[in-house]
Amino acid sequence: MSSRHIVRRASEAAFAKVGDGYARWSIVDESVPGAVHTGFGICTLAPGGSVPTHVNWFEESVYMLSGSAVLDTSDGAYLLGEGDYGVVATGVPHGWRNAGAEPARWARMQAPQPRERFDGDTVVVPPLRHGPVRPVDPRDPRNRSFGHISPAHMEPGKQSQDLLAVSASMRTALLVYSGITVKMMVDSDLGAELSTMFMVQYEPDGVAGPHDHPFEETYLILEGATDATFDGTRYRLEPGDVAFAGVGCVHSFTNAGEGPVRWLETQAPQPPSRHSYRFARDWTYLRETVDREAP
């Protein structure tokens, strides 16, 4: 195993109880060599469970995998259901409660990485007053921190005005290239400053050649399978598996099935405006060119 990447299988999931019906599987944390900016894990909240109001000394993004839960914030109370996502800025009081009949389960991204020596960079504060609970409505201009995404949003050939109307922002746009579809979720447009969260889908012919970044990435496989290579080690990743690539880890992906493969991806810190990708093929080409041009 490289010191710049890890792979965790769904079968390895180990949820630690940390509160009233609340448990989490910490996947990327201070124990992972090379991880500095990323705290990534899966959280569950049982019916009737809650997480007390607290503030974080980091930015927190969430994506609801199943079930539903109320996220109480200083801006109001929001009911997050499957496919909803959002970001809680540093220092914003917030807490969770599950008033439904099913467990809630969500992916959580924290940037920069929480530090245990500072109590996880989290402080419990007086509870928020519970106001009216509203569902996530991406079209509502008053909604500044939340959105919704579904598999249909990842199909370039199925886009319509009705589907695009789910959001009024540029996050509805799809970036499509070489059998790869990317749709931004949490980014600066949604108020994030320290990280990003987005959805990626590869068609059967989708391939991303070897490359690396000046930031950290995490991948949670949601559908299908991909053959991923990290610093020369190859893995077959399937639903529920999680991989992390640190700064400078050369990685690549190929769809390993006959249908699409889809995953949730995070980056921290936020990518720079230029030189976010360093493709091995380009530097190989440069070396070959220099050799050819040598006297």
Side-chain angles (χ1 to χ4, degrees):
M1 177 180 294
S2 167
S3 63
R4 292 179 295 186
H5 82 272
I6 64 165
V7 170
R8 296 287 183 261
R9 301 297 183 183
S11 59
E12 300 174 16
F15 286 87
K17 183 178 180 180
V18 289
D20 179 18
Y22 176 55
R24 63 175 178 243
W25 176 26
S26 182
I27 303 170
V28 182
D29 52 30
E30 290 181 296
S31 68
V32 175
V36 177
H37 298 279
T38 302
F40 187 88
I42 307 296
C43 303
T44 64
L45 188 62
S50 63
V51 179
T53 305
H54 59 283
V55 296
N56 299 325
W57 200 352
F58 49 80
E59 187 174 87
E60 183 170 7
S61 300
V62 298
Y63 169 69
M64 192 62 68
L65 296 166
S66 60
S68 64
V70 175
L71 177 58
D72 291 301
T73 76
S74 52
D75 282 338
Y78 295 88
L79 179 64
L80 273 64
E82 184 174 343
D84 289 339
Y85 58 86
V87 59
V88 178
T90 302
V92 172
H94 63 288
W96 291 88
R97 50 193 165 104
N98 185 350
E102 301 294 333
R105 182 169 172 267
W106 66 90
R108 180 180 68 177
M109 168 66 180
Q110 304 162 313
Q113 186 182 88
R115 302 165 296 180
E116 287 304 317
R117 66 187 184 279
F118 294 112
D119 297 323
D121 289 315
T122 297
V123 177
V124 175
V125 297
L128 293 166
R129 181 181 302 175
H130 290 170
V133 177
R134 67 185 75 168
V136 171
D137 183 358
R139 295 193 66 189
D140 190 332
R142 297 171 298 177
N143 172 36
R144 298 177 296 174
S145 303
F146 301 94
H148 178 80
I149 191 169
S150 71
H153 290 104
M154 301 302 296
E155 300 294 338
K158 296 182 180 180
Q159 300 304 299
S160 67
Q161 288 301 312
D162 288 340
L163 187 60
L164 292 176
V166 168
S167 174
S169 78
M170 285 303 293
R171 291 191 306 281
T172 57
L174 295 183
L175 174 62
V176 182
Y177 62 99
S178 302
I180 304 172
T181 302
V182 176
K183 190 175 183 67
M184 294 306 301
M185 295 160 56
V186 174
D187 56 12
S188 58
D189 182 59
L190 209 64
E193 298 181 8
L194 301 172
S195 62
T196 64
M197 177 181 283
F198 52 98
M199 197 70 69
V200 177
Q201 180 168 299
Y202 280 38
E203 299 307 317
D205 60 345
V207 176
H211 63 282
D212 68 293
H213 308 285
F215 46 80
E216 302 169 0
E217 289 190 324
T218 306
Y219 324 86
L220 168 61
I221 309 302
L222 300 174
E223 176 187 0
T226 181
D227 284 329
T229 301
F230 298 97
D231 278 341
T233 302
R234 186 176 179 180
Y235 302 87
R236 172 68 56 87
L237 302 179
E238 297 177 319
D241 294 342
V242 177
F244 165 82
V247 173
C249 174
V250 178
H251 52 284
S252 62
F253 299 96
T254 302
N255 189 331
E258 298 181 355
V261 56
R262 182 169 53 90
W263 66 75
L264 182 74
E265 186 166 333
T266 69
Q267 299 171 329
Q270 279 193 11
S273 59
R274 295 183 62 194
H275 307 304
S276 290
Y277 287 76
R278 179 168 56 185
F279 282 99
R281 68 187 182 207
D282 296 333
W283 291 94
T284 299
Y285 174 79
L286 174 60
R287 292 188 180 93
E288 293 173 347
T289 300
V290 170
D291 289 344
R292 286 197 303 269
E293 293 175 347

